[in-house]
Amino acid sequence: MIKFLDLYKVNQQYEAEIKEAINGVLDRGWYILGEADQRFERNYAAYCGTKHCIGVANGLDALTLIFRAYKELGMMNDGDEILVAANTYIASILSISENRLVPVLVEPNPNTYNIDPEQLEKHITPRTKGILPVHLYGQLCDMDKIIHIARKHHLQIIEDCAQSQGAVLLDGRKSGNLGDIAGHSFYPGKNLGALGDAGAVTTSHDKLASTIRALGNYGSHKKYVNDYKGTNSRLDEIQAAILNVKLKYLDRDNAKRREIAKIYLREIKNPSLVLPYYSGNEDHVFHLFVVLCKKRDKLQQYLTEHDIQTVIHYPIPPHRQKAYREWNGLSLPVTEQIHEQALSLPISPVLEMKEVEKVVDVVNKFVS
């Protein structure tokens, strides 16, 4: 069986270092907001190129706390609108509506599957306060165009970097440092994954950073002194220690993902599949390798029969979810096509070349 993502093998290669890091936490006897967390925040901020990194409990909390901080600082208010890709994972949208802001769904570019800058301005109103570019599947959005539009209309840019750790533009700017502030997820299956839930916020905005740090710590800058009605969302020491180990290998692992992606792109010749767009640069870290196929379910069943695991990201678009029933009548044809046809093939730093070759061979023999 070729696993879609073999997390055991992913983490086994760092087993000795991870155990040493965990033992260090145990030996220090300090489990929340300690040395490992401080070290990871410094390291990840430096990696992304920002002044600040604030560790939080998970990626959804990262985005939710960002919007909460904007509201606490008076930069956003109830009912303000945030432009977001219509085909994103629902967490991006939940973070907006949780703060009583209004998500405005924007169709993706049909080639990159990321939010289409050409569609943004038609959705901007006097209530629009921000753009949430989601770097889906590991590929950076067209940030130069998004930044131009945002500055023209005085909008905040909040990056969703849950799938894009380590992606880099040609000028050297990294995911997490392409807008005003960014949310990150370190869910175990991410390119930089913890061994449980974990997340972070990166920014060079001092006041936002300070406010988010307090909001995630019961609304407190100082113990027992509460400036906000905060919550409890902190990166624990054990997960921070593990992330410190794995961060050292992120660029190497991303390079392996790109190597596999290039083989797929070069050798998969089946006309029934639409392969993902790739510039050939480091702006894509291939968190996922997503193909489109009109007979997606048949293709998935065929691959399963040949012992190749695949995953559908994501079967139901946000505007068709019961949670957002007010959107159920919307027509978003590009988004709907992606959700109806998308299938993710196996890709990871531990996928062996013989497994890659089998995936290529079996996919090329599929008859729709």
Side-chain angles (χ1 to χ4, degrees):
M1 170 67 72
I2 298 176
K3 293 186 177 182
F4 174 73
L5 175 62
D6 192 334
L7 283 177
Y8 174 78
K9 286 180 69 175
V10 167
N11 291 301
Q12 186 185 39
Q13 58 188 331
Y14 314 123
E15 182 177 3
E17 288 184 78
I18 287 174
K19 286 181 176 179
E20 182 180 357
I22 292 172
N23 286 335
V25 174
L26 296 176
D27 291 343
R28 287 190 294 275
W30 193 280
Y31 309 115
I32 300 289
L33 299 181
E35 181 182 316
D37 180 63
Q38 293 168 11
R39 188 184 316 121
F40 176 71
E41 289 183 349
R42 288 195 304 270
N43 290 341
Y44 198 60
Y47 180 82
C48 293
T50 58
K51 285 178 65 178
H52 305 285
C53 170
I54 305 98
V56 297
N58 55 68
L60 175 55
D61 279 5
L63 293 173
T64 302
L65 288 168
I66 286 170
F67 289 115
R68 173 76 187 279
Y70 274 119
K71 293 184 70 179
E72 291 289 353
L73 294 174
M75 300 170 72
M76 294 181 186
N77 297 289
D78 285 5
D80 285 341
E81 297 170 351
I82 307 296
L83 308 184
V84 61
N87 61 314
T88 185
Y89 181 57
I90 201 167
S92 311
I93 295 167
L94 291 171
S95 71
I96 301 169
S97 56
E98 172 67 17
N99 281 285
R100 296 188 295 279
L101 301 169
V102 179
V104 176
L105 303 182
V106 180
E107 284 269 60
N109 179 294
N111 295 319
T112 66
Y113 314 141
N114 279 330
I115 194 168
D116 190 346
E118 306 303 325
Q119 302 295 318
L120 285 173
E121 288 195 278
K122 68 176 65 174
H123 294 281
I124 294 173
T125 75
R127 296 307 300 267
T128 308
K129 291 296 174 66
I131 304 171
L132 179 59
V134 186
H135 306 306
L136 271 175
Y137 312 150
Q139 181 168 216
L140 293 179
C141 296
D142 189 341
M143 291 305 299
D144 287 337
K145 289 183 180 178
I146 291 171
I147 289 167
H148 174 75
I149 293 166
R151 298 304 172 243
K152 177 181 174 183
H153 295 277
H154 308 289
L155 306 178
Q156 295 293 303
I157 298 175
I158 302 96
E159 287 181 86
D160 184 338
C161 304
Q163 301 185 7
S164 61
Q165 299 100 335
V168 191
L169 293 177
L170 282 173
D171 62 9
R173 287 176 295 157
K174 258 187 190 151
S175 169
N177 188 28
L178 303 177
D180 297 287
I181 195 164
H184 306 255
S185 169
F186 306 122
Y187 183 78
K190 304 299 185 184
N191 290 33
L192 178 60
L195 298 190
D197 277 321
V201 173
T202 54
T203 185
S204 292
H205 191 297
D206 295 339
K207 193 63 177 176
L208 277 172
S210 175
T211 304
I212 289 166
R213 190 175 295 282
L215 285 169
N217 188 35
Y218 302 98
S220 174
H221 290 288
K222 181 181 178 182
K223 195 169 186 178
Y224 303 132
V225 179
N226 302 84
D227 299 319
Y228 309 102
K229 296 173 184 175
T231 188
N232 176 16
S233 181
R234 301 174 299 199
L235 178 62
D236 74 70
E237 283 288 283
I238 288 179
Q239 299 302 340
I242 292 164
L243 289 168
N244 267 316
V245 170
K246 297 181 72 175
L247 179 59
K248 296 184 295 184
Y249 303 101
L250 177 58
D251 288 344
R252 183 197 71 182
D253 288 350
N254 283 343
K256 180 66 180 295
R257 288 174 177 271
R258 279 190 289 267
E259 179 186 351
I260 294 168
K262 288 176 182 177
I263 295 172
Y264 283 162
L265 290 166
R266 184 175 64 247
E267 298 187 11
I268 292 177
K269 304 293 186 180
N270 194 317
S272 300
L273 276 64
V274 176
L275 302 181
Y277 168 79
Y278 175 42
S279 69
N281 301 315
E282 294 184 7
D283 59 346
H284 203 327
V285 293
F286 286 98
H287 172 62
L288 300 172
F289 190 94
V290 179
V291 301
L292 299 187
C293 180
K294 291 181 180 179
K295 301 289 187 179
R296 187 263 310 280
D297 294 343
K298 182 179 178 182
L299 172 61
Q300 185 176 43
Q301 179 61 34
Y302 166 80
L303 291 172
T304 299
E305 290 169 357
H306 286 81
D307 294 324
I308 298 171
Q309 287 185 343
T310 58
V311 176
I312 298 172
H313 294 93
Y314 305 95
I316 306 173
H319 72 284
R320 293 289 171 82
Q321 297 283 357
K322 184 178 179 181
Y324 289 100
R325 57 177 62 85
E326 65 271 26
W327 293 339
N328 288 173
L330 290 179
S331 174
L332 296 165
V334 179
T335 292
E336 289 157 16
Q337 179 188 4
I338 292 169
H339 284 263
E340 289 166 2
Q341 298 183 11
L343 187 68
S344 298
L345 302 182
I347 191 166
S348 81
V350 295
L351 199 64
E352 298 178 9
M353 280 303 119
K354 64 181 180 181
E355 295 176 315
V356 175
E357 291 166 4
K358 179 179 177 179
V359 172
V360 170
D361 181 61
V362 173
V363 167
N364 279 336
K365 291 176 179 174
F366 171 69
V367 179
S368 62

